[in-house]
Every structure is written in C-alpha cells, then in structure tokens.
Amino acid sequence: MRVLVSPNVDCVSVRDPALAQADLDPSAGLWLFYTCEPPIGPPATIRAVQRCGCPWDGVSGVCVAGADVEVLGPSIGAYAAQGVRGAAPLVRIRLGVDGGAPTLAVRLWFVATGADGRRTLGLAEGQRTLGSTPPEDASQAALPVLRPDPTSPLLDGASPALGACPGTCALEDVAVGRVPGATEVVLLLARRVDDPAGGTDWQFVPLGQTLEPRWWGNP
C-alpha cells in the first residue's frame, strides 16, 4: 500500500483531498490540501501539506513532505462556526516586474458550515513575496497566510446563481478548474435538492469566474 502522507495526529479522519501545482514553477511539486476531522468536539478544519513532491513511481512508503499546517478553521467567522471543508485551491507564481522578486499567491474556495447548519461557499486568499537573497523558489517557500475574503460567504445552496430551488437546497462541495488559454476559472458546485413532494435531486452546477490580471498572463 502506498501512503502519500501521514495525517496530522490531531485528525481522527481525513477527507476531501485536493492537489494543486504552481503553474509557473513545476519544480515546486504538488501542494496537498485536505479536510481534517478532529476528535469529537472541535469542528473540521482545512490543512495543507506543502511541497508534496515525492516521486509518483508506485513505490510503497510514506511521502516525506513539507510542513503540515492548518490554513483555515472555524475562527474565520460565524458562517464557519461548525467547521470548514472541501478545499478547491488555485496556486500561482507571478514573476516579478522589472527584476523584482516573484510572488507566490494562493486562492482557496471552500465549504463552510454555520452554527445553524447552513452550508455556504467561502473564499480565502494569501500571497507572499519570494525572497531573492539567498535565492528562494517555490519549492522552498512557506505557504502564505490565507485570510477570508470580506465578501464571504459568497452563496449557499438556494442562491439564484445556482438556478431554481424547488424545495430545500444544500451546498455539498466545490471544485475549481482553470480554463486553458482563458482568463477565467470554472467553479463546479455540488448541490442537493430535497423536493417537498418527495425525492432528492443531486446536481453539479458550473459557475464561471473571471480572474484578475495578476492571476493570468505574465507578470
């Protein structure tokens, strides 16, 4: 059996793995984000394993990766009082301007659960300048602190952007994909629709989002 990473000891279970790679620096390896379910009591958090760049050669064993850190938790706001999960990350290395140092930027969409049990879509972002003395690349860079966007939560399962809600609608999960050659990403939202007349409909709803200039092009 091949084990990619040993889960943090504070997690009784791990789930929702998401891999991301900095698009301008393949040597940075893969970044692994996952949901950590703590022992009964504390809500779920999102953790990240930095620079998970072990060889994909099928050899059994545990991957020796970078630091395993918590990146988001319930302290970000009341809308996440019962935890956060389902990370959908986007990582970019933006080259410096006029010989300046490059910037490592991380954007993370996630599902948050409030005290009332309502699940919503949240967004967090962080960036840090990569040092140049001594030279530093993405493979040595620490993950920047991620802070929730002030517009979070962005929507919930009943939001009009996801279409009509003929009953009770709940947001389940989110995934993100970069559109090749374009200046946008596609968010794919999983939604459960419970019809008051009986029955449940499971849906994948795509939403497009245009990226700011710093998330595409060079720099």
Side-chain angles (χ1 to χ4, degrees):
M1 179 180 67
R2 178 169 175 78
V3 179
L4 180 61
V5 64
S6 294
N8 183 278
V9 295
D10 295 330
C11 308
V12 294
S13 72
V14 293
R15 58 194 66 202
D16 308 326
L19 293 171
Q21 183 176 20
D23 56 359
L24 291 185
D25 191 349
S27 67
L30 295 172
W31 299 60
L32 169 65
F33 296 80
Y34 67 94
T35 300
C36 168
E37 296 277 2
I40 295 176
T45 61
I46 292 174
R47 301 187 66 89
V49 177
Q50 300 171 229
R51 306 179 301 281
C52 193
C54 45
W56 299 90
D57 56 8
V59 178
S60 62
V62 176
C63 171
V64 179
D68 183 350
V69 298
E70 180 179 315
V71 294
L72 286 178
S75 63
I76 62 175
Y79 67 97
Q82 289 193 41
V84 292
R85 63 179 64 244
L90 184 66
V91 179
R92 177 166 172 77
I93 308 273
R94 186 166 68 97
L95 299 183
V97 180
D98 297 328
T103 300
L104 169 64
V106 179
R107 178 169 287 182
L108 190 74
W109 291 266
F110 59 93
V111 176
T113 305
D116 58 358
R118 186 172 71 109
R119 289 192 290 274
T120 57
L121 179 67
L123 174 64
E125 186 172 339
Q127 64 179 29
R128 68 184 297 269
T129 300
L130 300 179
S132 56
T133 309
E136 181 187 26
D137 59 25
S139 66
Q140 302 299 321
L143 185 74
V145 174
L146 300 188
R147 304 188 186 282
D149 189 278
T151 61
S152 292
L154 306 178
L155 52 79
D156 63 17
S159 295
L162 301 184
C165 176
T168 301
C169 297
L171 186 64
E172 296 290 335
D173 207 350
V174 58
V176 63
R178 186 86 178 266
V179 179
T183 60
E184 65 178 1
V185 295
V186 173
L187 297 177
L188 188 61
L189 298 159
R191 182 171 79 156
R192 190 188 76 239
V193 179
D194 293 326
D195 192 321
T200 298
D201 187 22
W202 299 89
Q203 303 174 341
F204 288 135
V205 184
L207 292 178
Q209 179 175 339
T210 300
L211 296 171
E212 301 92 324
R214 64 191 175 90
W215 281 96
W216 53 270
N218 184 23

